[in-house]
Amino acid sequence: MTEPIRKEHRHIEFPGGAWTAFDRYSRYGAIVRALRATLGDGPLRVLDVGDGAGYLAAFDPGLDAVSVDLAPTAEPLPGTVRLAADGTRLPFPDASFDAVVSSDALEHVPPSLREGFLGELARVSRDLVLVAAPFDTPGVAGAEELARRFVLLVTGSAQEQLDEHRDHGLPGVDDTVAHFESLGWQVAVAGAGNLHDWLAMMLLKHQLVARPALGPLDTGYDIAYNWLFSARDHVPPFYRHLVAARRTSSPSFGAAPASDDGSSADDGAGLLAVFTAANVAEAVRQDTDSRLAATDALVADVSPRLAAIEDAVARLDARSQAMATSIDHLLHLVRHPVAGVADKVRRGFNRTGDG
């Protein structure tokens, strides 16, 4: 479900997607930018293969978009046109759409079916195919492995998408380009999404999964990233690449977004570190508060018991003193006759001796 977004739109390229996950904003932003730069403004009929929620139209409401997925999400965005279908056997005639796009789906296709998947995207497109995915480029597999292990550690559950990336292996950029070129299409490749940012945000956001009390920060981090750091999507190294293939001429990726305040795109790295530190500090504070609260509750529970014990000890002490007094009295009574008998014995002994 979407969340209400802020009214200030001048500083963001795709306000309709500003509320969504930072990673989704990056890849759909790159796709829509390339789509419009290549095919121009105006109505376009576009097929989105691998998404059943309708995000493409959220980023560009002017598109007549159809979403296809093996198992469409149970909660599509309002107005989404979707159907369940296999990307390797699309139920459409040839050249049914002006463009066909696929966002982070190719890596989930088993390697033996990837050429068939790409062939189907090309078959149903009249002019343009855009495939965004994490490819087997330097650093990506290592970053994903750390993220995969971190998610398992902090949540106790596997991250299914990253597990599938590992099991299938990431697709190759060169293989993808070669397949489209074998069909006679013109191909270009561009990076999309800073790899370091992707890893930092994945670790940051999955901390929140294990901390339900920090849940309100989740979308807040996404919105902040989408507003502040969109220019960093074009700073290498890249987590994702966008492969653009066109039948008739060379595709275009459009102009990269730039900050209008004169700052460098790299300035965001330090702020991401601050995000992480703030997140950890709040988690530690909540841990400390909860432990203090538990200690206070324990003290409150134990205090009446301690008071009862002290009262019992006082009563026992009073009884002990009373018993001691009684024993002293008894000893006195016992000692008195014994002492009298002893005196008589001594006196009798002395008289006998005198006689």
Side-chain angles (χ1 to χ4, degrees):
M1 298 296 292
T2 62
E3 291 193 7
I5 62 172
R6 295 187 61 93
K7 296 179 174 60
E8 303 88 353
H9 294 166
R10 187 172 68 85
H11 301 286
I12 189 163
E13 190 176 9
F14 302 106
W19 58 271
T20 194
F22 80 99
D23 195 43
R24 185 179 296 115
Y25 185 86
S26 173
R27 62 183 185 260
Y28 272 102
I31 286 172
V32 170
R33 197 179 299 117
L35 186 64
R36 288 303 187 181
T38 302
L39 300 182
D41 296 331
L44 294 172
R45 181 166 169 76
V46 182
L47 178 66
D48 186 355
V49 180
D51 169 64
Y55 286 109
L56 186 61
F59 278 74
D60 189 338
L63 298 175
D64 177 13
V66 177
S67 293
V68 167
D69 198 7
L70 277 172
T73 178
E75 295 186 4
L77 299 179
T80 299
V81 178
R82 63 175 184 165
L83 57 90
D86 185 344
T88 64
R89 297 188 300 273
L90 292 171
F92 304 105
D94 294 356
S96 298
F97 298 89
D98 297 307
V100 177
V101 307
S102 177
S103 169
D104 282 21
L106 180 61
E107 69 275 19
H108 295 286
V109 177
S112 62
L113 301 178
R114 284 173 180 166
E115 284 196 0
F117 179 84
L118 296 173
E120 279 292 274
L121 304 187
R123 180 184 66 79
V124 300
S125 174
R126 280 193 287 273
D127 194 2
L128 179 67
V129 173
L130 297 168
V131 178
F135 287 92
D136 183 17
T137 54
V140 174
E144 286 198 340
E145 186 60 17
L146 174 58
R148 189 186 70 81
R149 292 170 184 247
F150 184 82
V151 172
L152 181 60
L153 174 66
V154 300
T155 68
S157 301
Q159 214 283 350
E160 293 180 1
Q161 289 82 4
L162 293 178
D163 277 0
E164 197 163 76
H165 292 194
R166 177 201 58 185
D167 294 343
H168 288 336
L170 297 174
V173 173
D174 293 341
D175 295 338
T176 305
V177 169
H179 183 75
F180 283 120
E181 288 179 339
S182 72
L183 301 176
W185 293 48
Q186 299 188 43
V187 187
V189 179
N194 180 270
L195 176 61
H196 299 162
D197 287 4
W198 178 87
L199 181 56
M201 288 290 285
M202 286 291 287
L203 302 186
L204 179 70
K205 283 168 62 66
H206 278 91
Q207 284 180 324
L208 307 180
V209 178
R211 305 276 183 175
L214 302 185
L217 294 177
D218 188 28
T219 302
Y221 282 130
D222 287 320
I223 291 173
Y225 189 93
N226 298 341
W227 246 271
L228 290 171
F229 303 143
S230 58
R232 287 178 57 79
D233 280 348
H234 299 271
V235 176
F238 296 112
Y239 172 66
R240 180 183 294 102
H241 283 76
L242 179 61
V243 176
R246 193 177 187 192
R247 286 183 187 272
T248 56
S249 58
S250 298
S252 174
F253 294 105
S259 172
D260 62 1
D261 62 2
S263 63
S264 165
D266 239 9
D267 292 344
L271 192 51
L272 280 177
V274 172
F275 283 178
T276 303
N279 205 46
V280 171
E282 176 60 14
V284 171
R285 184 192 70 80
Q286 292 205 8
D287 279 350
T288 303
D289 286 351
S290 65
R291 290 175 183 176
L292 288 174
T295 301
D296 290 342
L298 180 61
V299 169
D301 181 59
V302 169
S303 293
R305 300 180 186 180
L306 289 175
I309 292 172
E310 289 173 354
D311 184 59
V313 169
R315 290 197 302 271
L316 287 172
D317 186 55
R319 291 179 183 178
S320 296
Q321 291 180 6
M323 290 178 66
T325 301
S326 298
I327 291 170
D328 286 343
H329 180 66
L330 289 172
L331 288 175
H332 175 74
L333 293 177
V334 170
R335 288 193 193 103
H336 179 70
V338 170
V341 169
D343 288 342
K344 289 179 180 180
V345 169
R346 284 196 297 272
R347 285 197 298 271
F349 178 78
N350 290 334
R351 284 196 299 272
T352 304
D354 291 344

